[in-house]
Amino acid sequence: MALWKSVPFACILLPLFGAAVCSVLPRRAARAWAMGLIAAVAGLSCFFLAKMTAFDAAYPYRMGHYDAPIGNMLRAGPLEAVLGVLFSLLTLVCALGGGSRIREDLTEGRQGLYHTLLLLMTAALMAQVYTDDLFTAYVFVEIMTIAGCGLIAVRSGPGRSLVAAVRYMIMNLIGSALFLLGIILLYDLTGHLLMSSIHEALQAPAGAGNFDIPLTVVVALLCAGLAAKSALFPFHAWVPDAYATATPASAALLASLVSKSYIVVLLKVLFRVIGPAYIEASGVDNILFLFGVVGMLAGSVVAIRVPDVKRMVAWSSVAQIGYIYMALGLMTGAGAAAAVFHIIAHAAAKSVLFLSVDKLCEASEGHEFIGKLRGAGYRSPLAGAAFTVGALSLVGIPLLGGFTTKLNLARAVLDLGGAHAWAGLICLTLSTLLNVLYMLRTVLVLWSHPDRAPEAPQSSRAGGALAVSLGALMAANFLIFFFAQPLMDVINRGFALFS
Amino acid sequence: MTFEHIPEIAAVILFGVGFTLLLIDRNLIKKIIGFSMTDSGMYLYLAAKGYVAGRKAPIVENGVTDAAAYINPVPAGLVLTGIVVSVACTAVMLALTVRLYKRYRTLNIDEIANLARKEDG
């Protein structure tokens, strides 16, 4: 086997062992070590994507050359490679951009631990992307949960971040209990934990059509568990406080990556493990669609009413998760590809919003109310520009990634036709209009002239690292639009090889 | 009525009681207890499913290598891994609870949330 095929394995193992080392390093060394390792993973992922597009096939990878059930398998294809690049690069950029705030927000002793958590999170992200084993997926989902809890609670200042962390943990424990129960029942039904083996067992004559009721329960449990973990609409109670009180790097990572990684696992469950035929027979897809649509509207409606800019961005995340679930609920290839594209476009837009909004608040004497941000764009031009790009992308203005993803969603909905098309299109339009209301209102406030000149002209220029990461993320938002077709081709090809 | 399903029945009861506590009770410590019970119930169910009456634990003894002499080893491995995961989650939850109790002197999650909101003004 060619050596480059071991890249997914290395992407999981490097940060996992790196985290163990990182926990004993002093503060500065820990940061350098963690950033170096994440950069290495990002580099490897890019190399792997290049190789995979040329290779154009999916392959299983046996760790330690043992077969299941003793051995544990990975599976890599173009789709996994794209997600690997997205997750590793964004982790790097967010950690880079939030670096100065990490130093301000956290006590010295905790900064090293924060980077340990970052490495654990990277390992969990990579493992969830590449694993082909349901139980391994569960273990890394839990590692992700604990790392995410650390990312929220690590800030010692406000009590609300602790409350948010506890709420986050409770919701995630409920989710993982349901998810684990689903896995156990599925193992009980099929006797396998490997995703492809489960699928074969369900297709085999003994399995086909005989387990409709237990399988419906299993699908419902797996979907409910992962939906609770990824903060789909009725399970979102922890989101606004957690994103608003965490340090900006954490908020960007949680909103753009952590909640998405569970969706990647769900994608595997729906399309690789159970298969569309069973899912459609069980009717769970319609429930996902319904909750997605409700989430799209509810998140946006609340975002309009919230006076606090960070909470507003957090509420818009609730709506965006709804978009993804709506696309998944279609249970078509086009829907899944649109969902993956939305994961990418939203990650680029939301991380730039969270990183820039903090700088804008800082430039306005730490006020977080939208009214107090008047003219903040002039005080911190780069952050203002970055917020504008992110906001316009979320609204769906052409030339930005958000436009393409909404177009894809609309196309996927129309392809299916029927009631889905009506409900989907109407809610997509309504949600976009609501997006315009709250996002553009904030952008206008940012660029309107302040009523009175501040006594001392307080300009707050973005630091070097923040400027680099904001610039990179803004560029990414444009690039996703201009290279949408090649990206979509890779996703479609990867999706064909996915199951 | 067969007695062979007693472990599964116990597991379902444990899961039900634990999950209800985790969902409904407002006391953080009781929520953690509920979480432990939920997980224990699931592990009991898994272990019961892996057990085959009359067979031995999968440790080769007296040179018997025939798989038919032993129970399924995979659920035992899963239960062990799962226990490690739930210990870690319980520890994180307990640590958070201790920090919250030191700050607000109550374990009721609603009261804590109210106090935190007042604190921020």
Side-chain angles (χ1 to χ4, degrees), chain A residues 142 157 159-160 166 187-188, chain B residues 45 49 72 85 89 100 103 120:
Chain A
E142 289 302 285
R160 285 180 93 163
V166 162
Y187 177 69
D188 193 20
Chain B
Y45 183 84
K49 282 291 162 194
N72 184 356
V85 170
C89 287
L100 279 174
R103 199 168 170 136
D120 273 11

Side-chain angles (χ1 to χ4, degrees), chain A residues 288-309:
Chain A
L288 286 182
F289 181 84
L290 189 70
F291 276 102
V293 164
V294 173
M296 275 160 64
L297 293 179
S300 303
V301 168
V302 180
I304 290 184
R305 301 163 50 92
V306 178
D308 168 340
V309 64

Side-chain angles (χ1 to χ4, degrees), chain A residues 135 139 142 146 149 153 157 159-160 162-163 166-167 169-170 173-174 177-178 180-181 184-185 187-188 193, chain B residues 15 19 23 28 31 35 42 45-46 49 72 74-75 78 85 89 93 96 99-100 103-104 112-113 120:
Chain A
F135 203 78
V139 171
E142 289 302 285
I146 293 178
C149 175
R160 285 180 93 163
L162 270 183
V163 178
V166 162
R167 284 217 171 122
M169 269 312 269
I170 293 169
L173 291 181
I174 292 170
L178 295 175
L180 180 59
L181 190 61
I184 289 175
L185 292 180
Y187 177 69
D188 193 20
L193 287 167
Chain B
F15 182 89
F19 202 71
L23 269 179
L28 279 175
K31 270 190 192 293
F35 165 68
M42 286 193 284
Y45 183 84
L46 196 52
K49 282 291 162 194
N72 184 356
V74 176
L78 299 185
V85 170
C89 287
M93 273 302 279
L96 283 172
R99 272 177 70 185
L100 279 174
R103 199 168 170 136
Y104 299 112
I112 290 174
D120 273 11

Side-chain angles (χ1 to χ4, degrees), chain A residues 258-277:
Chain A
V258 174
S259 51
K260 306 293 163 31
S261 69
Y262 305 128
I263 297 176
V264 173
V265 177
L266 183 63
L267 199 67
K268 288 187 179 186
V269 167
L270 293 179
F271 286 93
R272 187 184 290 170
V273 180
I274 313 280

Side-chain angles (χ1 to χ4, degrees), chain A residues 341-416:
Chain A
F341 198 93
H342 196 79
I343 289 178
I344 298 172
H346 173 242
K350 197 43 67 76
S351 49
V352 79
L353 280 178
F354 269 115
L355 287 179
S356 61
V357 78
D358 182 70
K359 196 73 199 162
L360 291 169
C361 293
E362 200 178 287
S364 313
E365 299 167 331
H367 288 298
E368 291 180 1
F369 290 105
I370 293 171
K372 300 269 187 185
L373 291 179
R374 186 171 266 275
Y378 297 103
R379 294 193 286 275
S380 182
L382 182 65
F387 187 91
T388 311
V389 168
L392 293 183
S393 178
L394 273 192
V395 170
I397 304 288
L399 298 184
L400 288 162
F403 172 75
T404 323
T405 184
K406 283 197 173 160
L407 193 65
N408 286 333
L409 287 171
R411 269 190 197 151
V413 169
L414 274 179
D415 277 350
L416 196 63

Side-chain angles (χ1 to χ4, degrees), chain A residues 4 29 77 90 116 286 348 376 393 409:
Chain A
W4 65 267
L90 259 183
T116 309
N286 291 328
S393 178
L409 287 171

